[in-house]
Amino acid sequence: SELADGAALGFDGFRTAFHKAAAAVAAGSAKAVTKEALLGSWPEPEPSRMRLAEATSEAVMRDMDLRGNHQADLMEWIHYWALERDSPSYHASKEVNEKLVQALKSDQQVLGRMQMHFETAVGEDAEGAGAGAGVAADASDGAGLSAEGLLRVCQRLRDSPKEVLEKKWAKEVLAKHDAGEGIEEDEAFSYYDFLNVMLGRKRFKVSLYMYDISDGLAERWSWLLLGHSFRGIWHTGVVVEWPEKSSEFWFGGRLFESEPGTTPFGKPLEIRPLGYTHKLRQEAWSHVAQVLSEEFTKANYDVLTHNCNHFSDKLMLFLRNDHIPEEVRSQPEMVMSTVTARALRPALNQWLGGFDKQDGRATDGSGEEARLLWEAVLPGALISFSQVEGGRPIVGEVRNRGQQACLVCSFDLGGALVARRAPRSLLVEVLRPPPPRYPEEDLPEAERLALDS
């Protein structure tokens, strides 16, 4: 199916696929796609795979149905596939959808008009570049809208006599642009980017909270005791300022999300600004709880080789693809060889790696939650997983399980049955247990070894 490779399609391709799916269970032309219609448009699955096919179509329709009426019209269909093509992550798509759901409650037609504005402007860009009308007809194929084109849309809306919802959004974009914020001349905007800007793209301030666990002694005595002069012996937490809540993430045996400045370490000696991230709060916590929680546990805490600063560095790589300051990151290596550090190591490990639950959220510190979840991944179970960090959850039926991944069969978005490797770190949840007497597949040794490679 063409939809299985949505990157190759534009709006016209999405429209063609919609009419095909809508007609799957309706005579003639239908105006909406239902779960049954989507399933009916796919190649008929084997009876043993019907449970998987139904769960997959349900998951797709849940994300597609923005109006909450258990079906998707043409605009919702195009929107779903364009985000599937363009969005940087599932959580990013979800944030855009949450804003659109609220907008649709006050104006049912706003999504269709936004697609019209985008498609018209992309076509104008293509014609202006000499592509010709034939190419411009489906120019919304992922190539992107120019910054000039986006501003042109906003100026048209601002000058329009119609008081529509997106006119307010356009005025806000133009005001930010006039103030020197937001739009750069060489930017290209996908459909996702276009909606994100019009709905109010946000970036969030990131800081490193630096606490001196020596309580001032390091500045006076570190040269004598440790062979280097330090302003502090650093414990760090990464703070992100989201509009709904600011959070401080830190490692102390468990991984914690706390109100900034309320951790057991008191007031930070320094707050170091580290820039901005576009990651959402749930994206950050999902990464902490699902990926980093197995790497940073109470059992493997070590004040010199696997501590809070190593965690802060890993989280910063996720948030901004950048490291924490070198002076913090390299401090443990600089003191590892000293007699004082080795003598204090057991006591510091017990203190700094042994914090119990604080206010806010925390992992269990043992990796036990992740282990129990993985134990429920049995042959025949239906699971939800991602193929990449932050990716759209996929429904799969487990065929076999290794230590670090399982082999699943799943339906692609065109209804074709495919085999996939589901990494343990990207498991979301177990949707349904295996049916009784489900036969475990006997994999060849090479395939079994490949699961954990």
Side-chain angles (χ1 to χ4, degrees):
S1 168
E2 289 180 317
L3 284 176
D5 182 22
L9 292 183
F11 280 16
D12 281 349
F14 297 147
R15 290 186 185 100
T16 299
F18 171 82
H19 293 302
K20 178 183 175 183
V25 293
S29 176
K31 295 182 178 180
V33 169
T34 62
K35 176 183 67 176
E36 293 76 19
L38 181 63
L39 191 57
S41 70
W42 293 350
E44 186 173 354
E46 298 176 8
S48 62
R49 302 298 185 200
M50 184 57 72
R51 190 175 74 128
L52 172 62
E54 290 175 347
T56 303
S57 64
E58 285 174 9
V60 171
M61 286 305 303
R62 247 192 326 268
D63 289 338
M64 197 178 285
D65 175 19
L66 298 179
R67 294 183 174 87
N69 54 11
H70 308 294
Q71 61 183 19
D73 65 13
L74 176 59
M75 307 312 166
E76 290 170 307
W77 175 275
I78 290 174
H79 173 77
Y80 175 88
W81 292 110
L83 286 192
E84 181 70 20
R85 180 192 65 192
D86 296 342
S87 179
S89 76
Y90 177 73
H91 290 291
S93 294
K94 195 171 180 180
E95 185 192 30
V96 165
N97 285 340
E98 286 171 355
K99 292 178 181 177
L100 275 174
V101 165
Q102 294 305 311
L104 286 165
K105 287 179 180 177
S106 59
D107 185 343
Q108 287 281 303
Q109 305 306 315
V110 67
L111 179 59
R113 292 197 306 271
M114 292 298 287
Q115 291 172 3
M116 177 193 69
H117 298 317
F118 177 76
E119 196 170 13
T120 299
V122 172
E124 290 170 347
D125 277 353
E127 289 177 350
V135 174
D138 196 18
S140 52
D141 60 358
L145 172 66
S146 68
E148 181 184 353
L150 190 149
L151 292 172
R152 191 168 58 242
V153 169
C154 292
Q155 288 159 358
R156 269 201 295 257
L157 283 167
R158 179 198 60 193
D159 298 339
S160 169
K162 295 182 179 179
E163 293 301 322
V164 290
L165 191 57
E166 64 268 30
K167 182 174 182 176
K168 174 188 173 185
W169 300 341
K171 287 180 178 179
E172 291 172 353
V173 172
L174 291 172
K176 287 182 180 179
H177 180 68
D178 291 342
E181 300 176 22
I183 300 176
E184 298 179 10
E185 289 185 5
D186 59 351
E187 277 191 273
F189 297 86
S190 67
Y191 173 73
Y192 162 81
D193 296 325
F194 170 72
L195 287 180
N196 209 16
V197 170
M198 295 297 286
L199 291 167
R201 177 172 59 181
K202 299 289 191 300
R203 60 178 189 168
F204 313 107
K205 186 176 180 181
V206 181
S207 304
L208 190 70
Y209 275 36
M210 300 168 59
Y211 302 87
D212 176 20
I213 61 173
S214 77
D215 198 24
L217 292 176
E219 193 167 27
R220 297 193 295 272
W221 298 103
S222 59
W223 179 259
L224 177 64
L225 297 175
L226 300 174
H228 298 275
S229 181
F230 297 118
R231 194 160 64 90
I233 302 298
W234 301 121
H235 162 85
T236 60
V238 174
V239 173
V240 186
E241 298 176 25
W242 287 291
E244 73 275 17
K245 178 183 173 65
S246 293
S247 296
E248 179 172 356
F249 298 97
W250 56 283
F251 176 37
R254 302 169 186 263
L255 298 180
F256 296 94
E257 180 191 13
S258 304
E259 190 79 22
T262 65
T263 71
F265 301 96
K267 183 179 179 181
L269 183 64
E270 182 181 347
I271 297 176
R272 184 82 59 93
L274 295 180
Y276 295 85
T277 183
H278 290 285
K279 301 289 188 185
L280 306 175
R281 182 173 172 235
Q282 189 53 44
E283 282 184 275
W285 179 251
S286 292
H287 184 72
V288 167
Q290 294 177 14
V291 178
L292 298 181
S293 64
E294 289 199 79
E295 182 178 352
F296 292 93
T297 68
K298 193 169 185 176
N300 65 23
Y301 183 94
D302 188 281
V303 70
L304 296 179
T305 63
H306 202 66
N307 63 25
C308 57
N309 302 321
H310 297 98
F311 166 75
S312 293
D313 192 57
K314 284 287 182 79
L315 183 55
M316 275 300 298
L317 286 170
F318 173 74
L319 292 172
R320 287 184 37 81
N321 197 29
D322 201 4
H323 291 285
I324 63 173
E326 179 64 23
E327 67 186 89
V328 178
R329 197 155 51 103
S330 63
Q331 189 178 69
E333 298 172 13
M334 296 173 69
V335 302
M336 272 185 70
S337 60
T338 65
V339 174
T340 304
R342 290 200 301 271
L344 291 173
R345 192 176 194 171
L348 289 174
N349 282 346
Q350 187 174 2
W351 171 38
L352 297 171
F355 289 100
D356 207 343
K357 281 203 172 186
Q358 309 290 313
D359 290 339
R361 290 191 283 193
T363 60
D364 68 2
S366 66
E368 183 70 5
E369 292 175 5
R371 186 186 65 78
L372 291 174
L373 179 61
W374 189 245
E375 285 185 358
V377 177
L378 300 171
L382 296 186
I383 65 170
S384 175
F385 69 99
S386 299
Q387 289 191 287
V388 295
E389 178 65 36
R392 174 181 59 83
I394 298 169
V395 177
E397 182 179 284
V398 179
R399 293 171 55 197
N400 215 308
R401 183 188 73 184
Q403 292 298 315
Q404 299 302 323
C406 61
L407 184 66
V408 304
C409 58
S410 61
F411 288 97
D412 69 19
L413 293 176
L417 191 66
V418 295
R420 289 185 168 112
R421 180 181 180 274
R424 178 174 178 167
S425 62
L426 298 180
L427 175 66
V428 178
E429 62 178 320
V430 175
L431 300 172
R432 298 177 194 172
R437 297 181 296 281
Y438 185 89
E440 181 171 355
E441 188 168 345
D442 188 18
L443 291 181
E445 184 66 16
E447 283 192 47
R448 190 182 294 276
L449 290 174
L451 283 177
D452 293 323
S453 62

